[in-house]
Amino acid sequence: DIPMTQSPSSLSASLGDRVTITCRASQGIGIYLAWYQQKPGKVPKLLISATSALQSGVPSRFSGSGSGTDFTLTISSLQPEDVATYYCQKYDGPPLAFGGGTKVEIK
Amino acid sequence: EVQLLESGGDLVQPGESLRLSCAASGFYFSTSAMGWVRQAPGKGLEWVATFNSRTTVYADSVRGRFTISRDNSRDMLFLQINSLRAEDTAIYYCVKEGSLGYYVSWGQGTLVTVSS
């Protein structure tokens, strides 16, 4: 049983590109989905909660959407500082599972 | 400012036990749900355990070996890890939950290495 499936596992895109990461839950979780960013060697940082609620200080080029089982994280215009691994997390109830992560690199 | 400072990580042999601690400051600890998340070297994030106002919840992979506890009088969170296995090798992060279970604050982590 793999509660959360993220894809792709890695991607390489050019500066300014629109980047989309998907996360699929094995069962419906409403909007109880969060996204985190982990830069190399750093602690994870919460970007988005409740599917689409951007945390304070997070650039507006980040957005989230979806409901039920299918969710997306979009970076509208990829910047150098966005190089990181991104994780989704369900929090509708235990297990509070994370997706496997998507590593984003600059082409 | 929220601060979470973990300690207690060490190099231990399989089968041994370890107690991790997390000192919290900058928020009302006693009313906050807290937890532990771990990350094996080069791997993804794995939820370990949560302690909300009165209940504890564990990941299947650690239930029965790990015990999460807290001391609200000292603003401290703990994770007792028994019968350590090589696959428990990871950075263990102390986390503070937001209103519903996502993690708004993370400590810097403490490294547990299980090796003979």
Side-chain angles (χ1 to χ4, degrees):
Chain A
D1 164 82
I2 303 175
M4 304 301 291
T5 304
Q6 240 180 282
S7 61
S9 57
S10 65
L11 66 89
S12 181
S14 299
L15 292 176
D17 279 358
R18 183 181 185 89
V19 169
T20 299
I21 299 168
T22 65
C23 185
R24 174 164 290 176
S26 58
Q27 299 178 2
I29 60 171
I31 61 167
Y32 296 106
L33 185 102
W35 290 97
Y36 300 85
Q37 176 192 63
Q38 185 176 32
K39 295 184 177 181
K42 301 297 185 181
V43 174
K45 172 189 172 184
L46 177 67
L47 293 179
I48 289 172
S49 62
T51 297
S52 59
L54 211 62
Q55 297 302 294
S56 175
V58 175
S60 59
R61 63 180 179 273
F62 290 92
S63 64
S65 64
S67 69
T69 59
D70 295 304
F71 302 85
T72 60
L73 172 70
T74 300
I75 308 173
S76 61
S77 177
L78 188 66
Q79 300 301 305
E81 59 267 33
D82 301 335
V83 169
T85 300
Y86 294 84
Y87 296 93
C88 63
Q89 181 216 3
K90 66 177 279 294
Y91 59 94
D92 62 317
L96 305 180
F98 291 90
T102 297
K103 186 175 184 179
V104 174
E105 297 177 322
I106 304 294
K107 191 181 296 182
Chain B
E1 179 191 3
V2 172
Q3 291 195 348
L4 302 171
L5 183 60
E6 303 94 334
S7 60
D10 203 352
L11 170 62
V12 296
Q13 295 193 347
E16 292 186 341
S17 298
L18 208 55
R19 190 194 198 202
L20 307 183
S21 301
C22 171
S25 62
F27 62 100
Y28 289 107
F29 179 81
S30 61
T31 59
S32 297
M34 301 291 296
W36 292 94
V37 172
R38 68 183 180 182
Q39 186 169 33
K43 302 297 184 182
L45 302 173
E46 181 186 13
W47 168 69
V48 172
T50 292
F51 198 142
N52 57 29
S53 57
R54 278 172 292 186
T55 61
T56 58
V57 190
Y58 298 92
D60 288 346
S61 59
V62 306
R63 188 177 298 114
R65 293 191 302 122
F66 288 25
T67 302
I68 186 172
S69 62
R70 61 195 295 164
D71 184 343
N72 289 338
S73 68
R74 294 193 293 152
D75 291 354
M76 296 286 295
L77 183 73
F78 305 100
L79 186 68
Q80 177 70 38
I81 309 175
N82 297 329
S83 304
L84 276 154
R85 306 167 180 168
E87 55 264 35
D88 296 321
T89 294
I91 296 172
Y92 285 73
Y93 294 104
C94 173
V95 291
K96 175 185 179 296
E97 288 192 8
S99 57
L100 284 176
Y102 52 86
Y103 302 125
V104 293
S105 300
W106 297 64
Q108 290 301 306
T110 188
L111 178 62
V112 173
T113 303
V114 184
S115 175
S116 55

